[in-house]
Amino acid sequence: MAHCNTVLNQVVCFFKRHEFESLARKHHVGHKFRSFNRWSQFMAMLVCQLSGRKSLRDVVENLKAQGHKLYHLGMKKVSRSTLARVNDEQPHELYKELFYKMLQRCQVVAPKHRFKIDEKVYLLDASIINLCLTAFPWATYRQKKGAIKLHVGLDADGYLPEFIDVTEGKKHEMSWARMLQLPKGSLAVFDKGFTDYEWWQELTTNGIFFVTRLKDNALVEYFRKRPGRKAKGVVLDQEIRLKGMKDKLRLVQFIADDGNEYRFVTNAHHLPAATVADLYKERWKIELFFKWIKQNLKIKTFLGTSENAALTQIWVALCVYLVLAYLALLSKIGASMQQILRLLQLNLFERRDLESLFNPPKIEASPQLVLL
């Protein structure tokens, strides 16, 4: 049988070491390391995410137990105190920049979105991660509660998180949205939490399309109904203007299969009404994204209480998400990211080829074992 490196070693090959070391030199503060480095920090935090470890001590003991299988990773010896100090002091921006470099590699193999339109589609939303205010005093949210907020713009091409920011919990989504540099001609889909007519007008002026839901208390001026045969579920397709906006928009009233009625507003006058409704339905994918990372990656409980330690853990988790997405996109068996993660967790330190791990050879049943 051919020799294989560990599954972890093959996963780590996704990261270009020379590229990482360049970022490590760029994002370093204080004196040079004597017996540790940022690569060892990254490997430890990567193992934490992939193996579901619950504490720094748990991570370090796990690495110590697998020491004879880690020599090929180029890791230095990891102690709990050193790992805690580096997580606290060394800038998390290293992993943020690493994430965006990896994102570019994932985008190359990502499939185009499922809609028959030319526009790039982004799904925008934010999610709260609750924290104990006593332990995380920097994470201000409410008077007696702490939290951080994860703001995400999910690219519908492969459902990759292209725009990301992590802020204190009290920062509103609109403060983040106004800073986004959405490409001209793209289409953003978001919920009522992004209701801001001034921003909608800015998007329209800049040639950026959007689809969202209209609030019940919106002040609406109605114009002509759009001609043409209506698709199934579409009960109204009409031009409107919202108070305070210069350009006319479009109101699409839609009844879903469950009988619920929705009022969508968009500046995409060229799209079929049914496509407008379908685009908003696609927004559910970002809800699934938040649910998935909270359930499968370690971003709800933290190994350190400083802001830098928490952000380091989050950005490493997002890097892991991209690794799993990349493997899922390249997998020929249609395995989900969760299935891939489970396989990695069970075989992380085993010497198995990744291809055979995801595509195990089929074993023909012995005739004696075939049930009649």
Side-chain angles (χ1 to χ4, degrees):
M1 185 175 70
H3 170 77
C4 287
N5 282 326
T6 62
V7 169
L8 176 60
N9 179 263
Q10 294 170 73
V11 170
V12 168
C13 288
F14 181 73
F15 307 95
K16 298 178 180 179
R17 183 67 184 270
H18 70 279
E19 192 173 76
F20 182 93
E21 293 299 339
S22 176
L23 293 176
R25 289 190 294 270
K26 177 181 176 182
H27 299 285
H28 180 82
V29 296
H31 299 292
K32 289 184 178 180
F33 292 111
R34 289 184 296 178
S35 58
F36 198 68
N37 55 33
R38 296 300 295 275
W39 180 254
S40 299
Q41 178 202 20
F42 180 49
M43 289 297 99
M45 298 303 290
L46 190 70
V47 169
C48 170
Q49 293 291 342
L50 288 174
S51 60
R53 298 295 151 179
K54 297 181 179 181
S55 67
L56 284 177
R57 189 181 301 278
D58 194 13
V59 173
V60 171
E61 291 299 322
N62 180 245
L63 291 172
K64 184 178 179 180
Q66 301 292 343
H68 62 292
K69 297 181 180 179
L70 299 179
Y71 68 92
H72 52 270
L73 292 176
M75 288 184 66
K76 302 284 186 179
K77 185 178 179 181
V78 179
S79 70
R80 185 178 64 84
S81 59
T82 300
L83 184 56
R85 186 176 70 253
V86 174
N87 285 351
D88 283 341
E89 298 175 357
Q90 291 301 320
H92 68 274
E93 283 82 6
L94 162 60
Y95 301 112
K96 181 177 181 178
E97 193 167 343
L98 178 66
F99 169 86
Y100 282 107
K101 285 186 177 294
M102 292 168 53
L103 177 64
Q104 293 174 359
R105 295 183 62 191
C106 290
Q107 288 172 329
V108 173
V109 297
K112 194 178 186 304
H113 60 67
R114 64 184 182 85
F115 301 98
K116 296 179 180 180
I117 60 176
D118 296 329
E119 290 80 8
K120 189 85 168 175
V121 177
Y122 294 103
L123 316 171
L124 310 183
D125 207 351
S127 183
I128 288 288
I129 299 173
N130 291 310
L131 298 172
C132 173
L133 191 58
T134 304
F136 300 86
W138 50 269
T140 55
Y141 182 41
R142 294 175 181 168
Q143 187 174 2
K144 296 183 179 181
K145 291 184 179 180
I148 52 179
K149 185 176 285 189
L150 191 60
H151 306 264
V152 174
L154 201 67
D155 186 348
D157 293 355
Y159 304 114
L160 300 172
E162 183 168 335
F163 301 101
I164 291 189
D165 196 13
V166 186
T167 68
E168 57 187 17
K170 66 180 182 181
K171 183 170 182 177
H172 196 274
E173 292 90 312
M174 280 310 310
S175 301
W176 169 73
R178 292 190 188 95
M179 301 296 293
L180 283 179
Q181 298 294 318
L182 295 171
K184 185 176 181 179
S186 61
L187 193 152
V189 184
F190 42 84
D191 63 12
K192 294 179 182 179
F194 291 83
T195 298
D196 185 307
Y197 296 168
E198 185 178 341
W199 182 56
W200 293 3
Q201 181 61 62
E202 183 180 331
L203 291 178
T204 304
T205 302
N206 292 334
I208 300 169
F209 303 107
F210 67 85
V211 172
T212 187
R213 288 178 64 188
L214 190 64
K215 285 189 172 182
D216 295 335
N217 61 354
L219 299 177
V220 183
E221 183 181 0
Y222 294 92
F223 295 94
R224 72 179 182 93
K225 294 182 179 179
R226 292 168 59 93
R229 188 175 180 178
K230 293 181 177 64
K232 179 184 176 182
V234 178
V235 295
L236 180 68
D237 188 0
Q238 188 171 6
E239 287 185 354
I240 64 169
R241 181 182 285 119
L242 298 174
K243 187 176 181 180
M245 289 192 67
K246 178 183 67 174
D247 288 283
K248 288 182 181 178
L249 298 177
R250 178 183 177 192
L251 175 66
V252 174
Q253 204 161 321
F254 184 82
I255 297 180
D257 293 337
D258 58 6
N260 289 325
E261 187 173 302
Y262 300 91
R263 296 201 305 163
F264 304 114
V265 61
T266 180
N267 60 352
H269 297 280
H270 61 293
L271 297 181
T275 301
V276 171
D278 204 20
L279 279 164
Y280 192 83
K281 184 179 179 181
E282 185 78 348
R283 203 193 66 80
W284 181 244
K285 294 293 185 180
I286 196 168
E287 303 285 356
L288 295 179
F289 167 80
F290 286 127
K291 181 180 180 180
W292 195 94
I293 61 173
K294 287 181 178 182
Q295 289 182 344
N296 295 280
L297 298 177
K298 193 173 182 63
I299 65 167
K300 292 199 299 183
T301 57
F302 293 89
L303 307 185
T305 57
S306 71
E307 181 176 7
N308 191 73
L311 291 176
T312 293
Q313 187 172 322
I314 288 174
W315 282 108
V316 171
L318 291 171
C319 287
V320 170
Y321 180 88
L322 288 186
V323 171
L324 298 172
Y326 189 78
L327 292 173
L329 290 170
L330 293 183
S331 173
K332 304 301 182 183
I333 61 172
S336 70
M337 288 176 58
Q338 189 172 48
Q339 290 172 323
I340 290 175
L341 178 59
R342 296 294 174 259
L343 284 171
L344 293 179
Q345 286 176 337
L346 293 171
N347 298 274
L348 198 58
F349 295 104
E350 299 298 320
R351 297 185 184 278
R352 292 189 60 181
D353 180 65
L354 271 183
E355 184 176 350
S356 66
L357 179 64
F358 299 142
N359 297 276
K362 294 182 179 180
I363 301 176
E364 294 185 6
S366 172
Q368 296 91 332
L369 298 179
V370 176
L371 297 179
L372 298 178

